[in-house]
Amino acid sequence: MKLKLMVAEGVSVSDADKEQAQQILKYAGMAAEERLRQNHKWGVQSHPNVSPATTNMADWNLTYQAEADTARVVNEENSEDGNTNWKDILDEEILEAYAEAYSGDEAALQTELIQAAAVCLAWAQDIGRRLAQSGRQDAEPASTTEE
């Protein structure tokens, strides 16, 4: 983990940064447990990025890129207006991933998917903070919930 590397290299890391890293790892761990549950249920998954029957890949790429650009503008406006919200942030990341799925650039697609996953984890973490503030219980690890 980068936090461990930072500490090992003598970079000053505040207690707040360490607490934040612990919270991030908590939710990343819950996501990893869910992935393991999925592997147990379905086996290791290997699918094409988009339907092999899809034609006009470049057109689909442009369509999703335009939608991602619109989502980016919405997020910029939301930020200016004080209306930033997780759904719109995730929309932008997912639309960027869709655009890359049709571009054929798997490295770029992987980057976008990781960014989308990070937004999902941040959203889950934010919900966890709100639940804790209201005295309610955080989500259970996926392995203890029903399928």
Side-chain angles (χ1 to χ4, degrees):
M1 307 291 339
K2 288 188 176 187
L3 181 66
K4 289 180 182 178
L5 291 174
M6 290 170 61
V7 171
E9 293 174 2
V11 175
S12 177
V13 178
S14 71
D15 287 341
D17 287 340
K18 290 176 187 175
E19 174 63 27
Q20 190 68 340
Q22 289 173 342
Q23 288 299 309
I24 290 167
L25 291 174
K26 171 185 174 181
Y27 291 94
M30 291 169 78
E33 287 179 16
E34 172 60 17
R35 284 293 302 119
L36 291 171
R37 187 192 68 75
Q38 292 171 0
N39 281 350
H40 178 74
K41 183 174 182 177
W42 303 106
V44 174
Q45 299 289 296
S46 181
H47 306 289
N49 295 327
V50 298
S51 172
T54 302
T55 59
N56 302 323
M57 297 287 278
D59 290 344
W60 281 106
N61 170 262
L62 291 174
T63 298
Y64 281 115
Q65 191 57 58
E67 290 184 25
D69 291 343
T70 299
R72 189 174 306 105
V73 170
V74 167
N75 281 322
E76 290 169 359
E77 291 172 354
N78 285 348
S79 179
E80 292 169 6
D81 297 340
N83 293 319
T84 301
N85 66 85
W86 287 116
K87 184 260 183 206
D88 289 342
I89 294 168
L90 184 58
D91 280 350
E92 179 182 339
E93 295 301 331
I94 292 296
L95 289 165
E96 289 171 348
Y98 289 169
E100 292 302 344
Y102 288 99
S103 76
D105 184 342
E106 288 199 313
L109 172 58
Q110 186 180 49
T111 296
E112 293 299 339
L113 291 170
I114 297 297
Q115 290 173 357
V119 169
C120 290
L121 290 174
W123 190 352
Q125 184 179 0
D126 193 27
I127 291 169
R129 283 191 298 270
R130 290 196 302 266
L131 289 171
Q133 289 170 352
S134 66
R136 293 181 295 173
Q137 182 146 1
D138 206 352
E140 293 292 320
S143 60
T144 64
T145 60
E146 288 189 30
E147 295 182 25

